Structure formats: C-alpha cells, structure tokens
Amino acid sequence: MSDRAIIKRLKVVVKEHGGQLGLAGAIGVDQGFISKVINKKQDISYYLIRKLCFQLKYSPEWLILGTGEKIINKPESAKLITEIQMMRTEVDILQARMRAYEMELKELRAQLHIEDKKAV
C-alpha cells in the first residue's frame, strides 16, 4: 500500500467536504489530525480510514488500493474493513518477528566473526 497514493485520495475526500475543517467535523476528528496525515507528519491510521468508510461511505478498496467504486452502500463494507484491520495486525506481527530475526542474525554473525578471529 502506497501512503502517497492514499494521501492523494484523502486530498480528494478533503476537497469534497469543503476542506480539512469540513472533513474533520464530518467524521468527528481534529482538523490538525487530518493536516498531519496529509503533510506526512503522522502515519495514515486505520482509525481514519475506518471513519471515512463507516461514516462517509467511502470504499475501503478505493481508499487503500485506488480501485473500485469511490462511494459504496453495501453491507459487506464493514466486513471488509474488519478484514483489513486484521490483516494490518498480522503485518505488524510479521514485521516485529522480522526485526527479531534480523537481530538474532546480527548476533550470530558477530559470534561467527569472533570465532573466525580466534581460529586465525
């Protein structure tokens, strides 16, 4: 998922709601939050995506991937948002595991380097 592409679509949503203040009021968040996301001072949160989908009926597929209809009124959209959140959690877990493996690999390489020096 490209944050740049999502921000581009978020800007479309902002424009459709009369600016950051209008969008913030429509979904019940602080305008500063919207500003920080658009200006890349804060990561895009699934909290924001969920609000845009549930409250304003934007398609999560359109917001995240840029495909499909922009506005939806289908009941399965809530299920899709939940699935996206679950997948995001899985990705976060996998990234944490990857960092742990990278640290373990670094330690093993350091041990191997020490053993190589002792062998010389």
Side-chain angles (χ1 to χ4, degrees), residues 83-117:
E83 289 174 5
I84 290 168
Q85 289 172 323
M86 289 172 49
M87 289 172 53
R88 178 61 190 194
T89 300
E90 289 176 18
V91 167
D92 290 343
I93 291 168
L94 289 172
Q95 287 176 334
R97 285 182 183 163
M98 186 175 69
R99 284 190 299 273
Y101 289 139
E102 286 172 348
M103 290 172 57
E104 187 177 336
L105 181 61
K106 186 177 179 180
E107 289 173 11
L108 290 171
R109 285 182 177 157
Q111 288 175 357
L112 182 62
H113 183 69
I114 291 170
E115 289 176 10
D116 285 347
K117 282 188 176 183

Side-chain angles (χ1 to χ4, degrees), residues 1-2 4-5 16 20 25 33 42 46 48 54 56 59-60 62-63 68 70 73-74 76 79-80 82 85 91 94:
M1 158 172 71
S2 167
R4 187 178 306 152
E16 290 178 354
Q20 293 179 13
F33 172 66
Q42 182 168 336
Y46 284 83
L48 175 60
F54 278 126
L56 302 179
S59 162
W62 177 78
L63 282 167
K70 181 173 29 172
N73 288 312
K74 299 175 184 173
E76 64 266 11
K79 180 182 174 191
L80 181 58
T82 301
Q85 289 172 323
V91 167
L94 289 172

Side-chain angles (χ1 to χ4, degrees), residues 4 7 25 35 41 44 54 61 71 81 84 96 109:
R4 187 178 306 152
I7 290 171
S35 177
K41 294 180 180 175
I44 297 166
F54 278 126
E61 181 181 358
I71 302 290
I81 294 167
I84 290 168
R109 285 182 177 157

Side-chain angles (χ1 to χ4, degrees), residues 19-80:
Q20 293 179 13
L21 193 57
L23 177 60
I27 61 173
V29 299
D30 185 66
Q31 180 270 330
F33 172 66
I34 305 278
S35 177
K36 287 178 186 176
V37 172
I38 287 176
N39 293 307
K40 300 176 188 168
K41 294 180 180 175
Q42 182 168 336
D43 289 335
I44 297 166
S45 71
Y46 284 83
Y47 168 78
L48 175 60
I49 291 172
R50 191 178 69 159
K51 283 194 158 287
L52 293 171
C53 295
F54 278 126
Q55 292 177 242
L56 302 179
K57 305 297 183 199
Y58 283 95
S59 162
E61 181 181 358
W62 177 78
L63 282 167
I64 296 169
L65 302 173
T67 60
E69 298 289 324
K70 181 173 29 172
I71 302 290
I72 56 167
N73 288 312
K74 299 175 184 173
E76 64 266 11
S77 65
K79 180 182 174 191
L80 181 58

